[in-house]
Amino acid sequence: MISFLDLKKVNEPYKKAFQEKMEAVLDNGWYILGKEVKAFETSFAAYCDAKYCIGVGNGLDALVLIFKGYIQLGKLKRGDEVIVPANTYIASILAILQADLVPVLVEPKLETYNLNPDLIQSEITPKTKAILVVHLYGQLAEMDAINKIADVNNLLVVEDAAQSHGALLAKSKKSKVKSRNAQAYSFYPGKNLGALGDGGAITTNDAELAKILFSLRNYGSEVKYYNDFVGMNSRLDELQAAFLNVKLPNLDAENEQRRDIAKRYLAEIKNKKIVLPFWDFSNNHVFHLFVIRTPNRNDLQAYLLENGIQTMIHYPVPPYKQKAFPQWNDLSFPITEKIHNEVLSLPISPALSAEEVNFVIEVINKY
């Protein structure tokens, strides 16, 4: 059986270094916001070409804290509207709601699965104050077009970059920061840069926002027992930061391994029943997921499993069709629903061998 994602195999090369880091953290005796967190924040900010990195508990908290930070700065207020893709993972929607803001769902492009810039302007109202861009599956959204819309309408641009660690703007060989405002990252174990538990971070070039975020993540406190804001307890764990410090130097190389597998899938999968993902072969895609589409998704998934290939569905139900949101269940977004009904994610990770890639291609071509 080819696992969809074998995390034990992914992390095996780091086992010795992880053990050494665990001993170092234990021996140091400082377990919250210690030197490992500080080192990771410094390194990840540099990696992202950002001035500031704020380590937090997880990717959802990263998004919530960005919105709450802007509320503290007076750039957002309760009830403001935030444009967000209709086909995103539910965390993007939850973050907007948990900050007492209002999500406005917009269809993605069928080709890229990312927010369609052509549909944003018609959804903007006097209450619209931000766009939450989601770089779904590891491919950057069309940031030039989205930033232009934001400029014209004086909107904030916040990015859910939970799946796009290391992705570069298509027209740039340097910049990993995709907007002027803030990016939220997740280090959930399955991510391209994954910890051994939950973890997240915010990157930004905004000194004023960063100052508030460092406080908000720590109970709204800069000085212990003195609280300036109504904050949260959402701090990147010292041990997880230590693990991330081990893995970060290899992230670009591992992303390149993912691209190499993607190139093979794109070139060698030849089946008219299957729609392959769009990619312009720039570094704007880090292939957190390799997502194909077919109207016969369940049949294909069963066939692949019978032949020893595990796949996943990202995601079977759109956020607005979830039981958690009965007020939205009657909404209809045809492109989003087509995506959710047809997508299937193939195995793709640095742990996948050439022989396993060969087998996946061979079996799919026989379907």
Side-chain angles (χ1 to χ4, degrees):
M1 178 66 67
I2 297 176
S3 299
F4 174 72
L5 179 61
D6 187 338
L7 286 175
K8 183 178 179 181
K9 194 172 177 182
V10 167
N11 287 306
E12 185 66 31
Y14 302 107
K15 187 173 181 180
K16 183 178 179 182
F18 285 166
Q19 291 171 335
E20 290 171 354
K21 281 288 188 182
M22 285 182 67
E23 288 226 11
V25 170
L26 284 169
D27 290 345
N28 184 52
W30 190 303
Y31 306 132
I32 301 290
L33 297 182
K35 64 180 183 180
E36 294 288 350
V37 170
K38 182 62 178 174
F40 178 74
E41 289 174 337
T42 300
S43 297
F44 195 64
Y47 176 79
C48 294
D49 297 330
K51 291 181 180 177
Y52 307 99
C53 172
I54 302 93
V56 299
N58 54 67
L60 173 58
D61 284 358
L63 286 170
V64 174
L65 283 162
I66 290 170
F67 289 128
K68 289 191 173 185
Y70 280 125
I71 289 171
Q72 290 292 343
L73 289 171
K75 295 184 179 182
L76 291 173
K77 65 179 185 304
R78 183 177 182 179
D80 282 346
E81 293 176 352
V82 180
I83 300 284
V84 63
N87 65 315
T88 186
Y89 180 57
I90 197 170
S92 310
I93 309 296
L94 292 175
I96 296 169
L97 294 172
Q98 288 182 19
D100 293 321
L101 302 169
V102 178
V104 176
L105 306 179
V106 174
E107 288 266 54
K109 282 189 174 180
L110 184 59
E111 295 77 16
T112 65
Y113 311 121
N114 281 328
L115 185 62
N116 188 341
D118 297 336
L119 302 180
I120 294 175
Q121 189 66 51
S122 63
E123 298 298 329
I124 293 174
T125 74
K127 290 186 176 181
T128 308
K129 301 300 177 185
I131 302 171
L132 176 55
V133 180
V134 182
H135 303 305
L136 200 63
Y137 308 147
Q139 182 165 224
L140 298 189
E142 296 172 57
M143 293 309 301
D144 288 345
I146 291 169
N147 284 336
K148 285 178 184 176
I149 295 167
D151 284 338
V152 170
N153 295 277
N154 194 29
L155 305 178
L156 296 168
V157 178
V158 176
E159 291 164 80
D160 184 338
Q163 300 184 0
S164 64
H165 313 73
L168 294 169
L169 284 168
K171 295 180 182 179
S172 170
K173 297 298 182 186
K174 294 181 180 179
S175 178
K176 292 189 179 76
V177 173
K178 281 119 355 228
S179 80
R180 303 136 302 186
N181 300 133
Q183 300 78 38
Y185 290 89
S186 166
F187 304 122
Y188 181 79
K191 303 301 186 189
N192 288 32
L193 181 61
L196 301 190
D198 272 322
I202 300 160
T203 57
T204 184
N205 288 330
D206 185 334
E208 197 176 19
L209 177 64
K211 180 177 172 62
I212 285 179
L213 291 173
F214 278 119
S215 177
L216 284 177
R217 72 165 178 189
N218 189 38
Y219 299 102
S221 172
E222 290 185 42
V223 178
K224 195 169 185 179
Y225 303 129
Y226 293 85
N227 304 81
D228 301 317
F229 309 104
V230 178
M232 298 167 56
N233 175 17
S234 182
R235 303 169 297 207
L236 178 60
D237 181 76
E238 182 74 359
L239 190 56
Q240 299 304 331
F243 297 149
L244 292 169
N245 282 326
V246 170
K247 295 181 76 173
L248 179 57
N250 291 328
L251 178 56
D252 282 344
E254 292 189 355
N255 282 344
E256 200 58 42
Q257 288 177 275
R258 290 173 179 270
R259 291 191 190 101
D260 287 342
I261 295 169
K263 287 175 184 175
R264 289 205 55 200
Y265 282 161
L266 289 168
E268 298 175 44
I269 293 176
K270 309 283 187 183
N271 190 317
K272 293 180 180 179
K273 298 176 183 177
I274 291 166
V275 178
L276 297 170
F278 168 81
W279 180 33
D280 66 4
F281 292 93
S282 70
N283 287 341
N284 72 333
H285 204 325
V286 293
F287 285 97
H288 171 60
L289 300 171
F290 189 95
V291 180
I292 62 174
R293 283 201 342 267
T294 177
N296 307 311
R297 193 255 308 281
N298 292 342
D299 183 65
L300 175 59
Q301 186 175 41
Y303 162 81
L304 291 172
L305 189 61
E306 287 170 7
N307 284 275
I309 300 168
Q310 185 183 47
T311 58
M312 295 286 286
I313 299 172
H314 297 90
Y315 303 95
V317 183
Y320 59 89
K321 293 295 186 183
Q322 298 286 352
K323 289 182 180 179
F325 305 128
Q327 71 274 26
W328 295 338
N329 287 172
D330 292 333
L331 294 177
S332 177
F333 293 90
I335 294 173
T336 292
E337 285 152 33
K338 181 178 179 63
I339 290 168
H340 284 268
N341 288 332
E342 295 185 356
V343 291
L344 187 66
S345 300
L346 302 183
I348 187 167
S349 84
L352 207 62
S353 70
E355 291 75 17
E356 288 172 324
V357 174
N358 291 341
F359 185 70
V360 171
I361 293 168
E362 179 184 347
V363 170
I364 287 179
N365 284 341
K366 289 178 179 178
Y367 174 68

